[in-house]
Amino acid sequence: MSESKAMILGSSGPTLTPDEIALYRDERPWGFILFARNCIEPAQITDLVAAMRDSVGQPDAPVLIDQEGGRVQRIRPPTIERYPSAAVLGELYRQDRAKGLRAAWLMSRLHAFDLMKFGINVDCLPVLDVPVQGASNVIGDRAYGYDPQAVAEMGKAAAEGLKAGGMLPVMKHMPGHGRGMADSHHELPVVTASRAELEAHDFLPFAAMKDELMAMSAHIVFTAIDPNEPATISGKVIEEIVRGHIGFDGLLMSDDTSMNALKGTIGERAARIVGGGCDIVLHCNGVMEEMKAVVKEAIPLAGEALRRAKAVEAAFGPGDGADEDVIRPEFHGLLATS
């Protein structure tokens, strides 16, 4: 069987189209990502995830989702209950550190109960970005707070909760989106802080969690390191900061190729992501013409990227056997006392 290509793709709706099935079959993405448009009701989500895996002949291919809680929760009531934002959990941590850490773990463990029943095995969580006053609200209450050490501790608890449930986390947005004064979905944020400031603040939570297996890049320019290119496509940022200073040796995926912080055509963006040193090109919106442009530039997984992808595949597990009927009331009880 030929090796998967170094890309994660979305799809356009709640069921795969014949063209999507053909593209996936022929081009073999390593994984898939779901959004609200893909998730209508339980049986349909289960069928879609199974169809994605069937199209590439991989029964446990990674299927990702952004299920953070707060405003970034792709599957919502009535299918899955509404969860609080990271900022709510962070406030609990500031009141009572032990309760905050427990709540972060419990909420992730509940995400695993919710998502694994559909076959979804990767949650793009935790958000390790540390905002500064005046930064764009694109992160905002998605962050655990303004203290890097607290963000690191809460992020670690969240990641451990997912892993306890048999899922894997994706740290985002490496090496840090919190200082961005613009929304990278629409324009390119430029951060002018010194390297010393960045290492003491923005990069710290990622360094604390460098041994996790997956991370997502930030579409942000750090002028102190590379004044010309955003981190996602900057060989300098990836080599010096992500692999060097932070010490992350896991699988680095780009943030979404279609976000307008990146310039050029979709194909040009994908080519620069590959060239900059990201292991995986992420494309989310399911637009067929864009996906065709991405697959032309994505390369087969090989070398270090393949080694990192195999480490991810080997880490999926059955979970800890915890009882949802115990976990869920405990979580609600913690929040009720905050």
Side-chain angles (χ1 to χ4, degrees):
M1 185 179 288
S2 62
E3 205 57 70
S4 300
K5 274 193 171 178
M7 59 188 179
I8 293 167
L9 298 179
S11 65
S12 59
T15 57
L16 295 186
T17 67
D19 284 350
E20 287 169 344
I21 293 169
L23 182 79
Y24 302 156
R25 184 190 62 230
D26 294 343
E27 300 292 345
R28 299 187 52 74
W30 178 70
F32 301 93
I33 187 163
L34 301 177
F35 283 79
R37 66 177 181 274
N38 305 121
C39 302
I40 310 304
E41 54 88 22
Q44 167 270 321
I45 301 170
T46 304
D47 289 347
L48 175 61
V49 170
M52 286 172 158
R53 292 188 168 126
D54 185 59
S55 71
V56 293
Q58 296 285 6
D60 50 4
V63 177
L64 292 68
I65 197 166
D66 296 290
Q67 192 80 351
E68 297 174 12
R71 58 193 157 103
V72 180
Q73 179 170 329
R74 308 304 186 199
I75 308 180
R76 297 177 175 176
T79 304
I80 289 177
E81 73 169 83
R82 169 74 70 176
Y83 288 102
S85 68
V88 171
L89 301 185
E91 183 54 39
L92 181 58
Y93 172 97
R94 282 181 288 281
Q95 295 170 20
D96 185 319
R97 177 175 170 272
K99 283 184 177 179
L101 293 173
R102 181 64 177 165
W105 187 94
L106 287 167
M107 190 164 97
S108 283
R109 187 65 188 84
L110 291 172
H111 286 323
F113 279 122
D114 294 337
L115 299 170
M116 289 284 280
K117 66 184 67 164
F118 304 126
I120 301 166
N121 56 1
V122 178
D123 193 358
C124 298
L125 185 78
V127 174
L128 296 183
D129 305 311
V130 189
V132 296
Q133 294 297 337
S136 164
N137 192 45
V138 67
I139 299 300
D141 65 2
R142 298 169 65 193
Y144 293 108
Y146 292 89
D147 171 32
Q149 194 59 49
V151 171
E153 287 194 18
M154 290 290 281
K156 186 71 175 170
E160 293 301 326
L162 289 176
K163 290 186 285 187
M167 296 191 75
L168 290 181
V170 177
M171 300 179 287
K172 58 190 187 188
H173 304 82
M174 192 178 279
H177 203 302
R179 207 179 283 268
M181 295 294 168
D183 181 346
S184 55
H185 293 86
H186 305 298
E187 56 185 310
L188 178 61
V190 176
V191 169
T192 57
S194 70
R195 180 157 174 171
E197 286 177 280
L198 293 168
E199 289 181 1
H201 187 270
D202 306 52
F203 301 165
L204 189 150
F206 296 98
M209 293 182 64
K210 66 181 182 181
D211 294 330
E212 296 298 334
L213 293 175
M214 283 184 282
M216 183 183 293
S217 71
H219 294 337
I220 285 195
V221 168
F222 297 96
T223 60
I225 300 136
D226 183 343
N228 301 312
E229 302 287 8
T232 296
I233 58 175
S234 169
K236 200 166 193 298
V237 173
I238 291 173
E239 190 61 35
E240 280 188 26
I241 303 302
V242 172
R243 302 301 186 192
H245 171 76
I246 288 172
F248 176 65
D249 188 38
L251 192 77
L252 181 65
M253 66 187 72
S254 71
D255 204 344
D256 183 12
T257 311
S258 62
M259 288 165 62
N260 287 325
L262 301 181
K263 298 292 180 262
T265 67
I266 295 294
E268 288 165 349
R269 297 175 190 183
R272 293 167 80 193
I273 288 167
V274 171
C278 274
D279 297 309
I280 296 276
V281 180
L282 173 66
H283 184 268
C284 294
N285 66 20
V287 174
M288 180 56 66
E289 291 311 308
E290 292 191 12
M291 290 197 288
K292 286 179 177 176
V294 168
V295 303
K296 284 181 181 172
E297 304 299 338
I299 57 178
L301 278 165
E304 291 293 277
L306 177 60
R307 175 183 65 80
R308 293 168 182 142
K310 292 295 185 191
V312 170
E313 292 166 14
F316 291 115
D320 58 7
D323 186 346
E324 183 178 357
D325 291 336
V326 173
I327 298 272
R328 201 168 291 277
E330 183 188 353
F331 176 68
H332 291 153
L334 273 178
L335 287 180
T337 61
S338 64

